[in-house]
Amino acid sequence: MAPARRATEQTDDSGDSGLLAALLDGMDAALAAFAADGTVTHWNHEAERILGWTTAEAVGRTGLTGWAVRKEDADGIEAALAAAMRSPGRQVHEFALLTKDGRRVLLRTQSSAVRGPGGRVVGVYCAFSEVHTQLDLERSVALAEALFEDASWGVVLIDADLRPAVVNAHAGRILGVGRTALLGRPLGELLAQGVEELECALQHVLAEGAPPATAELWVTLRSEGAEFPRRCWRSGFVRLASPLAEEPVPLGVAWLFQDVTDTKRAEQEGSLLRFRARQLHRAGRAAAECPDPAEAAAVHLDFALAGFADHGLVDLATTPLPAPYGAVAEDDAYDACDVGDGAAAPGGTGMPPDSAPGADAGHGTRHGRPRLVRTLASPAGAPGPAERLPATGIPVPYAPRHPVFQAYERRGSVRTGAGPAAPEGWAAARHWPDGTVHGLCVALRSRGRTLGVATFLRTPARRPFDRADADYAEEVAARIAAALDLAGAAALGGAPSAHCR
C-alpha cells in the first residue's frame, strides 16, 4: 500500500506543479518568486516578455544582482524584498531592472511574503509591470470613475441587448429618472419619439464601430409636464470590446450625449428670422414693380406663404346693405366718427361710398359683425400664385364666433387649431380648404382702419402657429393692408376717407 500511496502523492504533486505553472504563465502581470536565501524559484512568461530573460535563464540564480539589476541599485532592491518577507500584506515599490539587451526599465512591483504550512516564511513573490502600463490602467480607471460621477456630459453604457447597464449622474438628470431606475429597461420606455433613430445608431456602432462624427438626435421624453417635450441631444458613440478576449467581442456601446436644445432652437430661430427678413425684402421689391396695388397685395401674400403656411386668404370688409326705409338697425349703424351723406373727408373726393375694396372698411361692426368678402386666395389644390377673386360682393358665411371676426374685433391676431385629433369637417365648418388643422387670422390695418382679415392656414405636416409666427403674419398683413388701401383709393379716384375703427 505504501508504494501505491507514494505514487499517488507524486502524481498529485506533479499535477499541482503543472497547474501552478499554467496559472503563472497565463497571468497578465509578470511574476518572480524567491526562496528565503534569494534563489529565483519562479519566473513566468510575462516576466520573460518584459525583461527578455527566459525561465530557464532566470530560475536557479541567486538574487538579481549582476544580471537583472545594476550593482548600484542592488542594495535597495534586496532590502525591499527582505522587508516584504518580514512585513504583513503587500509592499508596493518602483524598481529599475535591466533587460537582457542592457536597457533599464522602470517597474512597479507588489511584493508579499510566501509562508509555508506552519506559517514560517519560506520566500517572497514579486508581481511587477511596466510603470507606464500601470499608469495607463490607473488613468483609465480614473477616467471611468470621473465620467460616471463628475462629467458634464451624459454617459450611458448600453449592453448588447440595447438596454442601459450603467448610467452617470448627469444622464439621470437629463432623462428625468434615477440612475438605478434606468438599468435594464428598454429605451422605448424612456423615449416617446426618437427611439428608432437611437437604436439604429447603437446597432450600427455594435456592427461597424464608432461613427467619425457626433450625431444630433431629436427625441421626446415620456416624462410629463415638459415645457419643450422635444429635445436635441448631441451624441457620440464608442464601441466597447473586452481586452481579455483574443478576438474583439463587443460588450456594448458607450453613449455620450449633451442636451443642446437651447442652442439649436436659437440657431433655428435666427435662421428663420433671416429667411423671413429676406422674404419681406424680396416681396417689397416685387410689389414695387406691380402697377396694380391689388396685384401687389397678392405678391405679398405669395411671398409670405413660402416656408410659413400652406394656404392664404384675404377677406375685405364691405359696406353693409342699406336698411329698409324708416328702419333703424343697430347692427348697420355707422361709427360715430365715420363720414357719411357724401361729405368730403380731408383729402377725399366728396363721392359717396361704393363697393370698391377697402373703400369704407371699418363700417358697421361696433355693434355687429362685418360683411367679409373673399378677395384673394391661394390655390387650394396645387401650389401656385394667389388669385384675385371676382368682386361679387357676396360675403363668406362665417359662423358668429369665427376666428376672423375675433381678429377683426380685436384688431390683432388670433390663433386656432383642431387639436391632436382633428374632428372630421373641422376645416369645412370654418370655410377653409380641406386638410387645414392650424389657422392664424390677422386684422388688416391701414391708416387707423380695419380693412378686413388675412388668414394663414397650415396642414398637419406643419406645427401650430406660435407667437413669433403671429408677429411675422402681422408684418405681412400690414403690407397687404397698405396695398389694398391704395387699391381702394384708386378705385374711388382719390384717397378714401379715414375712419376711426
Side-chain angles (χ1 to χ4, degrees):
M1 294 296 293
R5 184 180 297 109
R6 286 195 298 269
T8 302
E9 291 176 353
Q10 292 175 358
T11 301
D12 293 340
D13 292 341
S14 62
D16 292 343
S17 299
L19 177 61
L20 178 60
L23 290 175
L24 292 178
D25 284 339
M27 291 176 58
D28 292 329
L31 186 137
F34 303 87
D37 60 356
T39 302
V40 178
T41 58
H42 296 83
W43 190 269
N44 73 347
H45 181 73
E46 186 66 13
E48 178 182 341
R49 186 192 68 80
I50 294 176
L51 297 177
W53 301 97
T54 65
T55 302
E57 294 171 333
V59 173
R61 289 177 180 264
T62 301
L64 300 174
T65 305
W67 62 284
V69 175
R70 294 194 314 171
K71 293 182 179 180
E72 294 82 356
D73 302 327
D75 294 340
I77 294 176
E78 291 177 357
L81 294 177
M85 286 192 290
R86 296 191 302 268
S87 304
R90 293 179 298 175
Q91 304 291 318
V92 179
H93 301 279
E94 289 186 0
F95 296 148
L97 300 185
L98 289 176
T99 63
K100 190 174 182 179
D101 56 6
R103 294 181 297 106
R104 297 183 73 198
V105 180
L106 184 62
L107 304 175
R108 179 169 295 179
T109 66
Q110 295 184 16
S111 305
S112 181
V114 178
R115 300 184 183 276
R120 184 175 58 89
V121 176
V122 296
V124 63
Y125 79 85
C126 179
F128 58 90
S129 62
E130 296 178 82
V131 168
H132 69 83
T133 302
Q134 187 70 20
L135 289 177
D136 290 343
L137 176 61
E138 292 178 359
R139 291 191 186 103
S140 299
V141 173
L143 174 61
E145 292 181 353
L147 285 175
F148 286 103
E149 295 297 334
D150 306 323
S152 59
W153 282 62
V155 182
V156 180
L157 297 189
I158 306 293
D159 61 19
D161 295 330
L162 303 186
R163 295 171 183 258
V166 184
V167 180
N168 78 337
H170 191 78
R173 289 192 296 269
I174 293 178
L175 295 171
V177 294
R179 297 173 62 179
T180 57
L182 293 173
L183 304 183
R185 295 173 58 186
L187 295 174
E189 294 183 6
L190 306 174
L191 304 177
Q193 295 179 355
V195 63
E196 296 85 0
E197 291 80 359
L198 177 57
E199 289 182 346
C200 180
L202 294 172
Q203 290 172 351
H204 172 79
V205 174
L206 285 172
E208 304 293 338
T214 59
E216 292 179 351
L217 303 176
W218 284 91
V219 301
T220 302
L221 297 174
R222 289 195 180 276
S223 57
E224 300 179 355
E227 182 180 359
F228 297 106
R230 294 190 72 228
R231 312 298 299 177
C232 182
W233 292 344
R234 183 170 294 155
S235 303
F237 303 92
V238 180
R239 183 170 64 178
L240 303 179
S242 173
L244 304 179
E246 294 183 359
E247 296 182 358
V249 178
L251 295 178
V253 177
W255 172 31
L256 297 86
F257 62 98
Q258 189 177 35
D259 193 328
V260 293
T261 307
D262 295 339
T263 301
K264 296 301 294 183
R265 289 189 186 278
E267 292 176 358
Q268 292 176 351
E269 290 174 0
S271 176
L272 183 61
L273 288 175
R274 290 190 296 271
F275 171 76
R276 290 178 175 177
R278 286 195 298 268
Q279 285 297 99
L280 290 173
H281 174 74
R282 293 174 59 196
R285 294 290 299 272
E289 302 301 323
C290 297
D292 185 358
E295 182 183 353
V299 168
H300 282 293
L301 182 61
D302 286 335
F303 276 91
L305 293 180
F308 179 68
D310 298 290
H311 305 289
L313 309 172
V314 173
D315 302 323
L316 287 183
T318 61
T319 304
L321 294 175
Y325 179 77
V328 178
E330 184 179 354
D331 287 350
D332 294 337
Y334 283 179
D335 290 344
C337 59
D338 286 347
V339 178
D341 299 330
T349 62
M351 297 176 60
D354 60 19
S355 59
D360 281 304
H363 284 168
T365 60
R366 184 174 295 268
H367 303 291
R369 297 189 305 274
R371 298 173 66 249
L372 297 176
V373 178
R374 185 68 47 82
T375 303
L376 298 174
S378 61
E387 301 174 351
R388 294 172 58 185
L389 303 182
T392 62
I394 301 175
V396 182
Y398 290 127
R401 297 303 301 167
H402 197 282
V404 294
F405 294 139
Q406 298 179 35
Y408 191 94
E409 294 168 359
R410 298 177 185 178
R411 308 176 188 179
S413 60
V414 173
R415 288 173 279 166
T416 184
E424 186 177 358
W426 185 86
R430 288 156 180 78
H431 298 279
W432 289 340
D434 291 338
T436 298
V437 295
H438 309 298
L440 174 59
C441 300
V442 186
L444 298 173
R445 299 282 297 172
S446 177
R447 294 191 300 156
R449 302 173 308 145
T450 303
L451 305 183
V453 178
T455 302
F456 300 95
L457 304 172
R458 287 178 176 175
T459 59
R462 298 180 187 267
R463 58 174 177 78
F465 290 100
D466 57 18
R467 181 62 256 178
D469 295 330
D471 293 340
Y472 177 63
E474 290 172 359
E475 178 65 26
V476 174
R479 297 170 181 245
I480 294 176
L484 292 177
D485 193 7
L486 182 60
L492 290 174
S497 303
H499 300 289
C500 297
R501 184 167 181 79

